[in-house]
Amino acid sequence: MRKFLLRCSILVSVVSLICVFIIHYDTYNIFHWNNIRFTSAEPNKNFVKTKYIIRNPNKFNAYILGSSRIGNIPPALLPSQKDGKKLNWYNMTYSMGLPSEHLLTLETFLKNGVSIDMVILGFDDIAMYSSIEEHYNQLVRMPYQVFEKNAMSFLKPYFMSLPAVSIIKEVTTYDPSEHKANHNSFYDFGVYQNNLSYNLGMEAQSFPSVHQGVTYTQIDSYKDIENIYKLCKEKNIHLILLTNPIYVTTYIDSIQDGYLDFLRKVAQNCEFYNFSTLNNYCQDSRYYFEGSHYRPALGLIVEKVLFGTEDEQNEIRKKAGDELFGVKVNSENIDFIISELEKQLQKYKKELRLN
């Protein structure tokens, strides 16, 4: 009996030490959500940001939702008030964020008494080829609502995943003072310092497509966008829907997999601003980090279209070489818009062949 108890005691001690070890090094910042460490591993931003907002329900009242692409919408030109009420913005962007997850986020916020007066939701081809079911098995993307439903089910895979040696080294030598700027921008607005720089890329180049090739018919994410639209209308939340400006190679591959049909589905019951066109910006790699993420400089241009004067909007569309850039789309004009986008593509391909 004494040997059995001793073995049990040793086992408990070993398991406890492993748990303490994992919590301390915490690759995905699950246990450090209120004071994350900036290492080479991406935090689970869905969990971290949702937890942070719930614990600070009145700190912000306006939110940007979307994948990491819309993380490059800067705070500079966002509306400072709505109907005389001050707006405090936070960018909820996280890796591969999906409309289904954004719907859950808004529902979780409302359930927990979080203030919401305005929402900007960006979407694009990512909604066509990724599903929330996939994210349930990815430690960097597991939705906060899994934790809300059953904390142990959520935490179990994190405790079963030992941190990489590289992360252990980074955490061991971590100096918070070296990351103060990132820390402040993350908790003040939800992004890193890199997402606030308006610098363009140094030289033009060609980025390969990052579209993953699964058609939207397999994931009816347009229904999640519709449900977000309805929820915001019901709760008197001002919602702005927009498509992200997609880099040319990714955009063309997306169209081949049904992206325009996806936009037609969304437009049947929702109104949105469409920045997914073959404009001068999306063909200029200096406005992109790679084939997926546009730079804050282009995010600022998007904001000018959304919130600028008519003269500013006209000037931007002139520079874009595209009257459709950022145009408002709904069920009444979607067929015309898609027809024009198809003409754009045909013209682009023809010029490409000639060159």
Side-chain angles (χ1 to χ4, degrees), residues 38-218:
F38 300 89
T39 67
S40 55
E42 182 181 357
N44 181 337
K45 293 178 185 175
N46 184 321
F47 177 87
V48 169
K49 292 185 177 185
T50 305
K51 184 86 168 179
Y52 173 58
I53 296 300
I54 289 174
R55 288 295 183 90
N56 298 274
N58 298 309
K59 187 172 184 177
F60 306 96
N61 63 344
Y63 303 91
I64 300 174
L65 299 175
S67 70
S68 55
R69 291 178 183 174
I70 204 167
N72 296 307
I73 292 288
L77 298 180
L78 294 174
S80 59
Q81 62 176 14
K82 180 73 174 71
D83 299 329
K85 187 174 183 180
K86 183 180 179 182
L87 295 176
N88 296 311
W89 287 91
Y90 191 78
N91 196 321
M92 285 293 296
T93 182
Y94 44 80
S95 174
M96 299 292 288
L98 303 170
S100 55
E101 292 171 319
H102 308 323
L103 177 61
L104 290 175
T105 294
L106 290 174
E107 291 173 340
T108 297
F109 281 0
L110 291 169
K111 183 171 61 177
N112 285 276
V114 173
S115 298
I116 313 177
D117 290 300
M118 191 168 179
V119 168
I120 295 175
L121 171 63
F123 62 95
D124 47 52
D125 65 302
I126 289 176
M128 295 166 51
Y129 62 73
S130 188
S131 70
I132 193 171
E133 286 76 19
E134 297 171 23
H135 293 182
Y136 289 141
N137 298 313
Q138 299 172 6
L139 298 185
V140 71
R141 299 187 178 96
M142 195 182 301
Y144 172 85
Q145 289 71 29
V146 177
F147 173 82
E148 192 176 43
K149 185 176 180 180
N150 189 318
M152 289 309 299
S153 293
F154 178 86
L155 295 173
K156 181 180 177 181
Y158 291 95
F159 278 118
M160 295 178 67
S161 177
L162 293 175
V165 173
S166 59
I167 299 300
I168 294 173
K169 290 180 179 178
E170 289 181 60
V171 172
T172 301
T173 60
Y174 194 81
D175 183 356
S177 64
E178 295 178 358
H179 303 273
K180 188 174 181 180
N182 263 339
H183 184 277
N184 291 341
S185 63
F186 183 84
Y187 288 102
D188 287 343
F189 184 62
V191 301
Y192 298 164
Q193 279 296 105
N194 197 38
N195 303 103
L196 302 175
S197 170
Y198 298 126
N199 293 333
L200 296 181
M202 295 300 292
E203 58 184 54
Q205 55 185 303
S206 181
F207 294 130
S209 168
V210 297
H211 177 70
Q212 295 188 14
V214 179
T215 60
Y216 82 96
T217 51
Q218 295 176 263

